[in-house]
Amino acid sequence: MAGRAGVSVGTVSNVLNRPDVVSEATRTKVLDAIAALGFVRNESARQLRAGSSRTVGLVVLDMANPFFTDVARGVEDVVNAAGLAMVLCNSDDRPEKEAAHLGLLAEQRVHGVLITPTAELTPQLDALRDRGVPVVLVDRRAPNPHQCAVATDDVLGGRLAAEHLLERGHRRIAFVGGHAALPQIQERHAGVVSAVREVPDAELTVLSPDELSVAGGREAAARVIGLPASRRPTAAVCANDLLALGVLQEMVRHGVPVPGDFAIVGYDDIDFAAAAAVPLSSVRKPRQELGRRAAELLLDEGREGHRHEQPVFEPVLVVRESSMVRRDVAADREGAA
């Protein structure tokens, strides 16, 4: 290529890496030679010399959940604007799969790692930081002030959902997603519990399906339908919208009117929530903004004077048809007697 352009190898290198130090005429000759020869630079070799790549790793819990697709879109907008690429990894909420992804990203010398971790924070995250690889937690609070993280106030979100159902007259409420180990789910549960405890005659039933998925929602709804009328909840707060969609499907399949006989509030407000056969009320999280802010913090990690930040966004309850009917508390008591 240098011979075709009539310049030195060093000049070609400058055109590729420091074009501002080369005259326009020389740049044109070199670029013409590159086009004629179909040259593609060896990015792997460049990364090896530089010690890091131009990629950012994003590790998420469940790619089947559109919540994480929206988060990824926010990340991609920021890293692409900075001239970087995003590599998306799915852990399936399995620690061993998460560890494998982190090991591979470390081998690839990524510029940084964004991660929504499984329940227990793996020591590999600290190992990455010790090697100088920035790490930012996404949709998860940080355990200490010495790292960056972006999260949502999920205790508030759970409380907003439960208070809405209580205000609509429901006194027997289910929380679907129950005993999941993820801190985010535990916080939503805590918010629901705090709201229900403030109403003397309110009761909470906790349902813990095997998966936080549509199938898990169907499983939980089948359990609700199988309860005696005197104990059966009349409404549910679901830990995410996939669960809520599953609950809705099962209720419709069994001829249970929603919201007439059973009200549902989901969580995350993915696009499918509004598009459901019965549009779902849901606690909205700023999905793309979570991704954008996390990516901004990651890019800032390597800059001099960086200060760790841990912004927490406030959720908003979006009320739709699935929870709009008001219950008659007195009638419910008579029916249960």
Side-chain angles (χ1 to χ4, degrees), residues 263-287:
I264 305 170
V265 178
Y267 208 102
D268 293 335
D269 197 32
I270 61 175
D271 290 340
F272 292 136
V278 179
L280 287 170
S281 297
S282 186
V283 178
R284 176 178 292 169
K285 298 177 70 169
R287 305 177 303 277

Side-chain angles (χ1 to χ4, degrees), residues 284-327:
R284 176 178 292 169
K285 298 177 70 169
R287 305 177 303 277
Q288 290 193 25
E289 183 59 25
L290 282 168
R292 282 193 291 267
R293 190 70 189 103
E296 289 168 354
L297 290 173
L298 187 77
L299 296 181
D300 192 62
E301 280 265 4
R303 296 171 185 158
E304 187 176 349
H306 171 78
R307 298 180 63 182
H308 294 304
E309 296 182 37
Q310 300 175 353
V312 177
F313 294 91
E314 283 200 4
V316 176
L317 177 66
V318 180
V319 178
R320 300 190 181 96
E321 186 180 342
S322 70
S323 64
M324 283 302 291
V325 168
R326 183 173 293 279
R327 299 289 296 191

Side-chain angles (χ1 to χ4, degrees), residues 43 46-47 50 52-58 72-88 108-114 134 294-303:
E43 182 63 16
R46 191 203 69 79
Q47 292 172 12
S52 68
S53 73
R54 297 174 64 186
T55 57
V56 166
L58 172 61
R73 178 59 184 270
V75 171
E76 187 178 50
D77 288 345
V78 172
V79 300
N80 285 176
L84 304 175
M86 182 190 75
V87 176
L88 183 59
Q108 296 299 314
R109 303 184 183 186
V110 292
H111 185 84
V113 171
L114 297 154
E296 289 168 354
L297 290 173
L298 187 77
L299 296 181
D300 192 62
E301 280 265 4
R303 296 171 185 158

Side-chain angles (χ1 to χ4, degrees), residues 138-314:
V138 184
D139 194 38
R140 179 77 166 264
R141 294 178 187 266
N144 61 65
H146 307 301
Q147 62 189 105
C148 287
V150 293
T152 304
D153 188 343
D154 283 319
V155 174
L156 173 61
R159 186 176 183 85
L160 288 173
E163 286 179 342
H164 167 66
L165 293 174
L166 292 165
E167 288 167 0
R168 304 302 297 175
H170 294 277
R171 291 299 180 265
R172 296 195 301 275
I173 296 173
F175 178 74
V176 180
H179 301 297
L182 290 171
Q184 303 95 306
I185 306 300
Q186 293 175 351
E187 290 176 9
R188 292 166 206 179
H189 180 207
V192 171
V193 169
S194 68
V196 171
R197 281 178 176 169
E198 292 177 2
V199 178
D201 58 344
E203 301 174 7
L204 181 65
T205 299
V206 179
L207 301 171
S208 303
D210 292 336
E211 299 177 354
L212 302 176
S213 63
V214 173
R218 291 196 295 264
E219 174 192 335
R223 290 177 58 191
V224 169
I225 292 168
L227 290 173
S230 60
R231 293 174 45 211
R232 188 180 304 144
T234 62
V237 176
C238 299
N240 67 27
D241 285 334
L242 296 185
L243 288 166
L245 289 167
V247 171
L248 175 62
Q249 284 183 4
E250 193 70 5
M251 291 297 175
V252 170
R253 190 171 78 86
H254 284 272
V256 179
V258 176
D261 286 352
F262 195 83
I264 305 170
V265 178
Y267 208 102
D268 293 335
D269 197 32
I270 61 175
D271 290 340
F272 292 136
V278 179
L280 287 170
S281 297
S282 186
V283 178
R284 176 178 292 169
K285 298 177 70 169
R287 305 177 303 277
Q288 290 193 25
E289 183 59 25
L290 282 168
R292 282 193 291 267
R293 190 70 189 103
E296 289 168 354
L297 290 173
L298 187 77
L299 296 181
D300 192 62
E301 280 265 4
R303 296 171 185 158
E304 187 176 349
H306 171 78
R307 298 180 63 182
H308 294 304
E309 296 182 37
Q310 300 175 353
V312 177
F313 294 91
E314 283 200 4

